[in-house]
Amino acid sequence: MVIVKVGILGGSGLNKASLFSLLKEEWMETPFGKPSDALQHGTIAGVPCVLLARHGREHSLQPTVVNYRANLWALREAGCTHVLAATACGSLREHIEPGHFVTIDTFIDRTTKRKSSFHDGSPEGLPGIQHLAMNEPFCPHTRALLQQACQEHSVTCHPTGTMVCIEGARFSTVAESKMFRILGGDVINMTTVPEVVLARELGLCYAALAMATDYDCWRDSGEAVNVQKVLQVMKSNADTAIRVLKTTVALIAKEDWSQIVPQLQDSVTMNVMLSKT
Ligand code: ADE
């Protein structure tokens, strides 16, 4: 039997007070530096959980400088088996309306400046070279539970979707936004990569609850994305996101992960090339 512990990576609007009563606050140091903030420990439906504010509690870290490696390492060190990542995103499709959720199943990586592997040849890095399969980056079992939780709360959730992850911090041009639609993107954000990749390298069951906040800027009519719009939609849907996340944690605890978690961890170690010397 695998004992589950759930890490929750949150953006703004998702704070500890709304999720659980705080048991412990832990400032950690990892071989890759400091996480974005202290780990906030608590329980949801009796399940141990750890909340980490991806951009820091004051939202002072822009997507490029978030230490994704330290964040994921810290959650793994804290004993997490699962990671639920809450993320705001722009919609590249008319039918994905602001306020809707998407349990994304794949991504297009448009980032350029981030450390995206623990196996980087540095003294603190993990040994060997990791060639991780990315045919299924997000845990399908955890995604299904997020979908079930959305259903229980009568919230619209698109079960699949391709996330385009851009470097930021600027939003896309109209030309880029239209190009991403042609490429097959459904939603767009600035944090999914390398977060999901690093979670996979550590054998964590990672799934994202992506909340559409805007239509980016590909539409001929309507307002282009801006921070005020993103914050306003996030704020008005924060309670819903919190309810969905709490229900998902309870659902995770009801599942038997004794095959899934070791399988995920094996698939990681099998894809490391170690040097012969
Ligand atoms: N986060 C929320 N909306 C976004 C958009 N349109 N582009 C990139 N990141 C976003």
Side-chain angles (χ1 to χ4, degrees):
M1 192 70 187
V2 171
I3 312 276
V4 296
K5 188 166 189 175
V6 182
I8 300 174
L9 279 166
S12 39
L14 201 73
N15 52 46
K16 61 178 189 294
S18 55
L19 274 173
F20 48 60
S21 51
L22 184 68
L23 291 175
K24 185 174 75 169
E25 187 171 91
E26 184 183 16
W27 290 95
M28 278 183 77
E29 183 72 49
T30 79
F32 303 94
K34 286 188 200 317
S36 302
D37 206 322
L39 303 195
Q40 319 265 0
H41 297 259
T43 59
I44 297 173
V47 184
C49 290
V50 183
L51 174 67
L52 176 53
R54 185 189 287 115
H55 299 279
R57 67 185 68 187
E58 305 294 340
H59 205 100
S60 52
L61 301 169
Q62 61 151 304
T64 296
V65 304
V66 167
N67 192 338
Y68 297 94
R69 295 199 300 181
N71 287 354
L72 272 305
W73 190 272
L75 290 179
R76 210 268 307 255
E77 278 298 291
C80 293
T81 50
H82 292 70
V83 175
L84 298 176
T87 175
C89 60
S91 167
L92 299 170
R93 303 286 159 196
E94 196 66 52
H95 69 280
I96 303 176
E97 297 170 21
H100 286 184
F101 291 103
V102 187
T103 47
I104 46 174
D105 62 325
T106 190
F107 63 77
I108 295 173
D109 181 9
R110 294 276 303 174
T111 65
T112 53
K113 299 181 188 145
R114 306 178 185 189
K115 295 197 168 128
S116 58
S117 176
F118 291 104
H119 302 257
D120 65 352
S122 70
E124 67 277 11
L126 293 178
I129 300 169
Q130 175 76 269
H131 295 292
L132 201 55
M134 277 292 122
N135 56 314
E136 197 170 61
F138 302 90
C139 171
H141 312 283
T142 311
R143 283 179 46 236
L145 299 177
L146 279 167
Q147 289 154 24
Q148 191 181 329
C150 284
Q151 215 163 27
E152 285 183 21
H153 292 286
S154 307
V155 184
T156 306
C157 176
H158 301 272
T160 57
T162 299
M163 179 66 82
V164 178
C165 186
I166 58 171
E167 186 59 51
R170 67 166 177 86
F171 290 118
S172 305
T173 64
V174 172
E176 287 167 335
S177 195
K178 290 185 171 172
M179 175 183 74
F180 295 144
R181 279 165 51 79
I182 294 167
L183 291 179
D186 298 306
V187 278
I188 181 165
N189 78 351
M190 302 181 192
T191 56
T192 292
V193 188
E195 203 170 82
V196 60
V197 179
L198 295 166
R200 281 301 310 277
E201 280 198 358
L202 296 178
L204 297 163
C205 299
Y206 176 106
L209 182 66
M211 186 211 287
T213 51
D214 58 89
Y215 277 113
D216 203 37
C217 62
W218 56 272
R219 280 160 114 217
D220 293 330
S221 59
E223 184 184 30
V225 58
N226 61 73
V227 170
Q228 292 319 314
K229 167 87 184 157
V230 170
L231 291 178
Q232 178 220 318
V233 177
M234 275 175 71
K235 201 166 161 214
S236 52
N237 289 284
D239 288 349
T240 313
I242 286 158
R243 277 198 296 273
V244 168
L245 288 172
K246 283 181 161 179
T247 300
T248 307
V249 170
L251 291 171
I252 288 173
K254 285 191 192 144
E255 295 288 309
D256 177 10
W257 298 91
S258 54
Q259 307 270 315
I260 295 163
V261 168
Q263 252 171 28
L264 195 63
Q265 287 165 354
D266 281 355
S267 75
V268 176
T269 42
M270 269 164 32
N271 284 302
V272 179
M273 289 186 48
L274 292 169
S275 68
K276 303 248 174 337
T277 52

